[in-house]
């Protein structure tokens, strides 16, 4: 069975309480449950993980090599700053779809740059929690096309 890692980065543990006008009222636990059930509905398995620490995220990406077939990654603000996360994705050689709840291109200029986009299959942003479902679907289609 195809195994996916859904990795959320800094401050996303506060979803539901954090700037609901930007990120909505859905909690991370609800998003993770949505990811698990939508992966299951498509015949795959999703394992969810969140960290506020760049190094922990890097370790988790390294561990995904040989463990998971694909990564759905919302790197939060590290998206815009972390070359180390970008390098971790390249090194792990596990395909990755980038997801953001908000439309980062319609927000402050510093959010328009994503270092991880360079190593992503593609980016989905602006669709709220549904974006994770879209990312899982896109990843599974990508993996099937490659098989
Ligand atoms: C985010 C967008 C980032 O710019 C921000 O730093 C986040 C959340 C999103 O899901 O919309 O923490 O990744």
């Amino acid at each position: 069975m195809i195994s996916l890692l859904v990795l959320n980065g800094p401050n996303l543990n506060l979803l539901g309480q954090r700037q609901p006008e930007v990120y909505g009222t859905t909690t991370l636990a609800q998003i993770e449950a949505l990811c698990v059930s939508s992966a299951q509905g498509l015949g795959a398995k999703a394992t969810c993980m969140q960290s506020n620490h760049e190094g922990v995220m890097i370790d988790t990406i390294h561990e995904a090599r040989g463990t998971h077939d694909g990564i759905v990654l919302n790197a939060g603000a590290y998206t815009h700053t972390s070359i180390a996360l970008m390098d971790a994705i390249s090194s792990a050689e596990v395909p990755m779809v980038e997801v953001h709840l908000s439309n980062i291109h319609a927000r402050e200029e510093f959010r328009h740059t994503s270092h991880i986009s360079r190593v992503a299959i593609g980016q989905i942003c602006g669709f709220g929690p549904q974006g994770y479902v879209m990312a899982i679907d896109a990843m599974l289609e990508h993996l099937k096309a490659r098989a």
Side-chain angles (χ1 to χ4, degrees):
M1 185 185 280
I2 290 178
S3 174
L4 302 180
L5 171 68
V6 178
L7 179 58
N8 280 289
N11 302 307
L12 294 166
N13 55 313
L14 297 180
L15 285 175
Q17 313 157 35
R18 174 194 182 198
Q19 295 175 275
E21 67 290 357
V22 179
Y23 298 115
T25 53
T26 309
T27 64
L28 181 62
Q30 289 168 328
I31 288 175
E32 290 181 343
L34 180 67
C35 290
V36 169
S37 68
S38 53
Q40 223 164 44
L42 294 167
K45 181 178 188 283
T47 302
C48 301
M49 154 84 187
Q50 186 273 333
S51 177
N52 291 322
H53 305 279
E54 190 176 13
V56 174
M57 292 181 70
I58 290 168
D59 288 343
T60 304
I61 291 167
H62 290 174
E63 285 157 18
R65 189 188 182 123
T67 311
H68 299 289
D69 302 294
I71 302 174
V72 170
L73 175 61
N74 184 347
Y78 289 142
T79 303
H80 319 297
T81 62
S82 181
I83 291 167
L85 268 184
M86 176 187 80
D87 283 348
I89 293 288
S90 307
S91 313
E93 295 179 322
V94 180
M96 181 271 286
V97 173
E98 175 182 358
V99 62
H100 301 282
L101 293 151
S102 63
N103 179 356
I104 56 174
H105 304 288
R107 299 183 62 195
E108 303 95 321
E109 190 130 3
F110 63 83
R111 293 188 206 273
H112 298 180
T113 301
S114 165
H115 293 300
I116 62 171
S117 283
R118 294 181 74 100
V119 293
I121 297 163
Q123 183 195 67
I124 294 166
C125 69
F127 294 97
Q130 194 60 26
Y132 288 81
V133 177
M134 295 161 84
I136 287 170
D137 188 42
M139 174 61 79
L140 292 176
E141 287 302 320
H142 171 82
L143 292 171
K144 273 185 228 154
R146 248 182 29 165

